[in-house]
Amino acid sequence: MSHEKQFYINGQWVEPKGDRTVDVINPATEEVVATIALGNEEDVNIAVAAARKAFDTYSQTSREERIALLERILEIYQRRSEEFAQAISLEMGAPAKLSKYAQAPSGTGHFAAALKALKEFEFEERIGNTLVVKEPVGVCGLITPWNWPINQLACKIAPALATGCTMVLKPSEVAPLSALLLAEVLDEAGVPAGVFNLVNGDGPTVGSTMSAHPDIDMMSFTGSTGAGRQVMKNGAETIKRVALELGGKSANILLDDANFEKTVAHGVMSCMNNSGQSCNAPTRLLVPNSRMDEVAAIAKAVAAKVKAGAPDAPDTTIGPVVSKAQWSKIQELITKGIEEGANLVVGGTGRPEGLDKGYYVQPTIFSHVTTDMTIAREEIFGPVLSIIGYENEEDAIRIANDTRYGLSGYVSSAELDRARNVARQIRTGMVHLNGAPLDNNAPFGGYKESGNGREWGHYGFEDFLEVKSIFGYYAEKK
């Protein structure tokens, strides 16, 4: 990476104002693969000033100009897709196949969805004699996580560009390489100077400076609920808009008429995917009490096929988790599950057999989990599944909603209408019926402590827009 110790500000690669750095660790080998600069308050101020100046002109660009810009970004991104896949595997340990076929393409998906939405979006509406206009919110502060790095970069940057906003980005310092690559793509595509700015740094320094900055109009944050709470507190002083996409503890309800062989297998693999590092992962598998042992046996057989290993190994199913700190947290929660009396079906503490280096976690499944156990309530963010029993459909809905989170949910039934009815009673921002996949054009986001606002598609535009009423706009001339 030629720019790893630089920031991208006002259309230029520039040197940081301070001298702090941090090593980027490959979680599969525990080796340093890059060293990036960490910004300070001065770096943020310079970037915000550039974004503020650029807003005056970029906010006035036409829909057609922004469409052309997104089309150029898409073309260049697709040309460099393999580089993104390699960077993501290197920085956060995703298996090569996952990086190539899911992680890197997520960027294409969000830029394409924003392009489609921009072509169709209604920025103006007439109500009587009033013109209601949706205008860009201003300078946006973007803070993104490490688990799906390009996915979260693209689903914030694309709508910001599409709606006429300017921005300052702080990607995760744990996985910053794909963000630096994306900055190169945006530069090559001709994003005007100051519209997009990147400052690497940590949360307490760069993140806090951004969220409290008086010249940042809106913060879009994806990460832990605790960190999101701090962003909201910091933003309160200036009454800035804060959009949050936070944690989850999603319930996967298998109704008694579901195909258990199929749905249990799908649920286990969905939980283990990306080493369990997805906020919307179905980490609570809710099944009839009478079929608990049957489900545990199916899940155990499926987990046996989940192979943790090096990202570049062809038979690897899941790679490592992202860091030593994350690995240690997961180990503590697995231990807590055992101590609190859950039945350990498979997995447990320590690395998988044959792996003595890297932050690898054993694919772990607990059965007979009760709702008061820590592993049933806390977001583990690793390849750990909790199987919880219910008595009837009403009990399943109650358990699904008995959480401070509300990001996603899953319902499987042989009768689609039955699944639909249950889905309407789950207090989450998203529900998947019978294994239905995500849709880049539909809104992504949650209830309760899973956040506020929505991302993706045309719904993702709303947080980046202010609404103005111009009364008398259509009044007859006198």
Side-chain angles (χ1 to χ4, degrees):
M1 294 289 299
S2 57
H3 302 298
E4 62 190 38
K5 289 187 179 180
Q6 295 178 307
F7 303 145
Y8 186 79
I9 299 176
N10 204 27
Q12 301 290 327
W13 290 99
V14 300
E15 300 301 316
K17 294 301 180 181
D19 57 4
R20 294 176 63 223
T21 62
V22 68
D23 291 332
V24 180
I25 306 297
N26 180 341
T29 64
E30 301 182 41
E31 296 174 353
V32 176
V33 293
T35 300
I36 63 164
L38 292 177
N40 58 25
E41 184 176 355
E42 186 178 2
D43 294 304
V44 174
N45 288 339
I46 294 169
V48 172
R52 176 57 60 194
K53 181 178 180 182
F55 181 73
D56 291 342
T57 51
Y58 188 69
S59 62
Q60 301 304 309
T61 55
S62 67
R63 184 196 306 259
E64 290 70 28
E65 289 174 294
R66 299 196 296 273
I67 286 172
L69 178 59
L70 289 177
E71 288 174 340
R72 292 195 300 272
I73 292 169
L74 261 172
E75 186 274 323
I76 298 166
Y77 184 97
Q78 289 171 319
R79 171 161 46 85
R80 301 189 67 176
S81 181
E82 185 61 34
E83 293 177 70
F84 281 103
Q86 292 171 359
I88 292 166
S89 287
L90 193 65
E91 67 189 355
M92 57 80 62
K97 288 182 180 178
L98 183 69
S99 288
K100 183 175 182 178
Y101 297 112
Q103 289 267 11
S106 67
T108 305
H110 288 304
F111 277 108
L115 178 60
K116 179 178 184 294
L118 178 57
K119 291 177 179 178
E120 302 169 351
F121 196 82
E122 296 293 337
F123 288 96
E124 298 184 358
E125 175 188 5
R126 180 174 180 172
I127 300 177
N129 285 334
T130 301
L131 177 66
V132 179
V133 181
K134 294 183 177 180
E135 300 180 337
V137 69
V139 176
C140 303
L142 314 178
I143 300 179
T144 58
W146 45 259
N147 60 322
W148 286 85
I150 278 295
N151 181 78
Q152 292 307 127
L153 289 165
C155 75
K156 296 181 191 301
I157 293 169
L161 290 173
T163 55
C165 294
T166 60
M167 71 210 78
V168 178
L169 167 70
K170 188 203 88 67
S172 169
E173 68 274 26
V174 176
L177 304 182
S178 51
L180 290 167
L181 269 179
L182 186 56
E184 293 179 2
V185 168
L186 299 177
D187 181 73
E188 184 180 347
V191 173
V195 171
F196 169 82
N197 304 274
L198 182 153
V199 177
N200 276 315
D202 58 23
T205 306
V206 171
S208 293
T209 301
M210 287 170 59
S211 56
H213 204 291
D215 284 333
I216 287 182
D217 302 292
M218 177 264 197
M219 288 296 301
S220 178
F221 171 87
T222 298
S224 71
T225 297
R229 189 177 291 114
Q230 191 59 53
V231 170
M232 183 170 276
K233 287 179 179 178
N234 292 342
E237 189 66 29
T238 53
I239 321 294
K240 61 168 53 67
R241 182 177 300 171
V242 178
L244 303 173
E245 199 271 280
L246 308 175
K249 192 70 179 177
S250 301
N252 183 7
I253 301 176
L254 272 57
L255 296 177
D256 54 16
D257 63 345
N259 180 329
F260 274 49
E261 288 285 344
K262 178 181 177 182
T263 54
V264 172
H266 184 269
V268 170
M269 296 307 295
S270 297
C271 178
M272 301 296 167
N273 185 45
N274 203 42
S275 301
Q277 300 172 122
S278 297
C279 53
N280 62 331
T283 53
R284 293 185 295 151
L285 181 59
L286 275 53
V287 303
N289 278 319
S290 62
R291 302 184 70 173
M292 175 67 70
D293 292 338
E294 174 192 353
V295 169
I298 298 170
K300 182 176 181 179
V302 174
K305 301 175 184 177
V306 179
K307 186 179 187 304
D312 58 354
D315 59 344
T316 289
T317 309
I318 61 172
V321 295
V322 76
S323 66
K324 183 178 181 180
Q326 188 68 18
W327 187 89
S328 297
K329 174 196 169 188
I330 296 166
Q331 300 303 307
E332 290 172 3
L333 287 166
I334 293 173
T335 299
K336 182 74 74 172
I338 296 170
E339 291 174 347
E340 292 183 357
N343 178 51
L344 182 63
V345 175
V346 67
T349 57
R351 292 186 179 91
E353 186 177 350
L355 294 170
D356 58 2
K357 183 181 287 188
Y359 307 125
Y360 294 96
V361 175
Q362 295 188 62
T364 298
I365 297 175
F366 289 97
S367 69
H368 299 82
V369 176
T370 57
T371 57
D372 59 338
M373 291 180 180
T374 304
I375 58 172
R377 308 201 70 81
E378 295 298 320
E379 184 178 37
I380 299 173
F381 228 61
V384 182
L385 175 65
S386 297
I387 307 177
I388 302 170
Y390 66 81
E391 284 300 313
N392 52 41
E393 189 173 297
E394 291 72 24
D395 192 37
I397 294 167
R398 178 191 63 79
I399 293 170
N401 290 333
D402 182 21
T403 172
R404 63 194 175 103
Y405 296 110
L407 185 58
S408 196
Y410 303 74
V411 183
S412 294
S413 172
E415 296 292 335
L416 182 57
D417 282 344
R418 189 180 177 197
R420 288 168 172 164
N421 179 61
V422 172
R424 288 182 178 275
Q425 298 177 70
I426 297 175
R427 297 287 296 167
T428 59
M430 303 172 288
V431 184
H432 300 253
L433 301 185
N434 293 326
L438 290 163
D439 181 347
N440 283 335
N441 298 296
F444 187 106
Y447 293 9
K448 300 188 281 188
E449 291 190 28
S450 287
N452 55 46
R454 293 295 181 268
E455 298 183 316
W456 301 21
H458 73 86
Y459 279 94
F461 283 23
E462 299 294 342
D463 282 323
F464 293 91
L465 293 168
E466 288 282 16
V467 179
K468 175 189 288 182
S469 294
I470 306 177
F471 303 108
Y473 190 91
Y474 294 103
E476 293 183 6
K477 294 180 179 179
K478 295 182 179 179

